[in-house]
Amino acid sequence: MALDHCSAQSDPPPSEPAVGSVQPRFALPNDGFSARTQSINALLAPYSVVCGTGSWIEAHLVARLGDVQGIPNLYGCGVTPDEVVKLCNQASAPVLVFLTSSIAADHGIDLCLQLKALANVPSIFFLVDQPRRLPLDGTLLCDAIVSAASFGNGVVRDALVAISKGQCYRDPTLNSDDYPSTTVALKPREQQVLELLARGMSNKEIGFKLNIAAVTVRDYVQHLCRKFDALNRTDVVFKAISSGFLHHPSELL
C-alpha cells in the first residue's frame, strides 16, 4: 500500500491556511513568496548582480543560489570591500550591488563612496540589520535601503521597482527615529576642512592647501567627528552630506 501511495501521479495541492493561521514567510508552498520571487527575478534580469557581505556563511549561501540561478545574473559575492569593487569593475553594465551592513566596520559607508566613484556607477541596494547603527537615509550613498526584518514582505520588489525607475527607496518601516539627527554649526575653517576631507585629502594635503599645520588639521578633524557624532573621517563626510553641509558625493570628486 505504501508503494501504491508513493507512485501516485501527483500529490494534492497544498491546502490554504486556515483563517487566523500563520504561514511561514519563506515557505515554498506560500503563493505570495512564489509570486514575489518571480517578480523579483524579472526585475533583476537587466543587471549583472554583485553581492557583498562580511559573513562567509552568507557569501557561501549566495554563491550556491547563484549556481542554481536562484539569483539571476549573479556575477559574484565579495566578503571585503575590495572584492566587491573588483567584481563591479569586472561585471558587465548595468550592475546592481546588494550590500549588507556587515561588509565593513563602518557598515559600508566608505564602500558606497567608492562604488559611486566608479566609471560605471552601479545601483546600490542596502540591507541593514541594525538601522540605529547606520547613519544612512537611503537617498544619498545608496539607491535603496531595506531592513532585514522586512525581507520577504514585498519591500525588495518595491525597492527594485524604484531603482528601475531611477528613484531612491527607503523601507517604510525605517522611520526617522532610526537615524541620528544632528544640529551642527560650523566655523568657516571647519567647513573648508570638511570640503577637502570629502575630496579624500590627507591631513598633510589639507594643511598644504589651507596653509596650516597637519596637526592643526588633525584637531579640526577631531572636532568635526565630535560635532557630527561620527566614527571616523569617512563617517564625518557621510553625515555632513546627510545633514546638507556637502553636496552629493558624485559632485565632490
Side-chain angles (χ1 to χ4, degrees), residues 15-25 30:
S15 57
E16 290 296 322
V19 176
S21 68
V22 178
Q23 243 185 327
R25 197 188 305 183
N30 186 318

Side-chain angles (χ1 to χ4, degrees), residues 122-142:
S123 298
I124 302 175
F125 181 112
F126 223 112
L127 181 67
V128 296
D129 56 357
Q130 294 177 306
R132 288 184 179 275
R133 296 180 59 189
L134 186 66
L136 201 61
D137 68 1
T139 62
L140 292 169
L141 298 186
C142 64

